[in-house]
Amino acid sequence: SKIKKKIKYTYVYLITKKNKIYLQKRDKKGMLASMLGLPTTDWSNKHISKKQIIDSRPVNGIFKEYNNSLIYSFSHFDLKIKAGLLTVNKNFSSRGSWHSLNNINKIGIPTLMKKIIKFYLFSS
């Protein structure tokens, strides 16, 4: 019989401006360490609360929460991802950079991040 994997939870912020998406370098420790990716909450063993979602927003903007979630399987756990779209109309001081959505497959980001972008921004 199959061993049931642990589930971890995270909330992802898809920050867009015109046809660009904001990416930042992840922390030096943990999964996907030091890789370029979307801003997220910490990966938790518990559901992410509304307060955490609001408090963890990297920037203010027009916010739209997606209703659906995505599950991504790692070898030893499944990651349940919920997301929100933050639309901004100007640059903000940050530790990240803007990338064209048209070139997202050419950017060196983890498969997980590409799947999140495709799932939330390119599926209807």
Side-chain angles (χ1 to χ4, degrees):
S1 70
K2 257 186 155 181
I3 296 171
K4 191 167 177 167
K5 289 194 241 182
K6 275 178 59 171
I7 296 178
K8 291 194 178 198
Y9 303 88
T10 192
Y11 197 88
V12 175
Y13 302 90
L14 295 140
I15 304 171
T16 61
K17 177 181 68 169
K18 297 184 181 161
N19 197 30
K20 296 188 177 207
I21 192 154
Y22 174 78
L23 301 173
Q24 66 185 27
K25 202 168 205 177
R26 293 183 55 82
D27 289 336
K28 292 180 178 168
K29 293 183 178 163
M31 297 290 292
L32 311 176
S34 297
M35 298 182 89
L36 201 57
L38 298 160
T40 69
T41 60
D42 289 337
W43 296 7
S44 171
N45 293 323
K46 296 184 280 189
H47 288 275
I48 308 299
S49 71
K50 291 278 182 205
K51 181 174 175 11
Q52 285 173 290
I53 291 168
I54 292 165
D55 292 348
S56 298
R57 275 190 209 169
V59 65
N60 287 323
I62 299 166
F63 184 67
K64 174 192 161 216
E65 195 163 5
Y66 292 101
N67 292 325
N68 47 359
S69 56
L70 172 69
I71 295 183
Y72 188 84
S73 287
F74 288 95
S75 60
H76 52 296
F77 68 91
D78 288 337
L79 183 64
K80 187 168 186 178
I81 302 151
K82 297 237 2 137
L85 177 66
L86 265 168
T87 306
V88 298
N89 55 17
K90 60 183 183 213
N91 286 333
F92 52 92
S93 130
S94 63
R95 57 186 180 122
S97 51
W98 292 96
H99 299 269
S100 170
L101 281 167
N102 299 330
N103 297 330
I104 210 67
N105 287 323
K106 297 175 186 154
I107 301 168
I109 61 174
T111 302
L112 167 62
M113 297 299 167
K114 288 180 186 175
K115 285 191 180 208
I116 292 169
I117 292 168
K118 189 174 180 184
F119 182 78
Y120 286 107
L121 296 181
F122 294 113
S123 63
S124 36

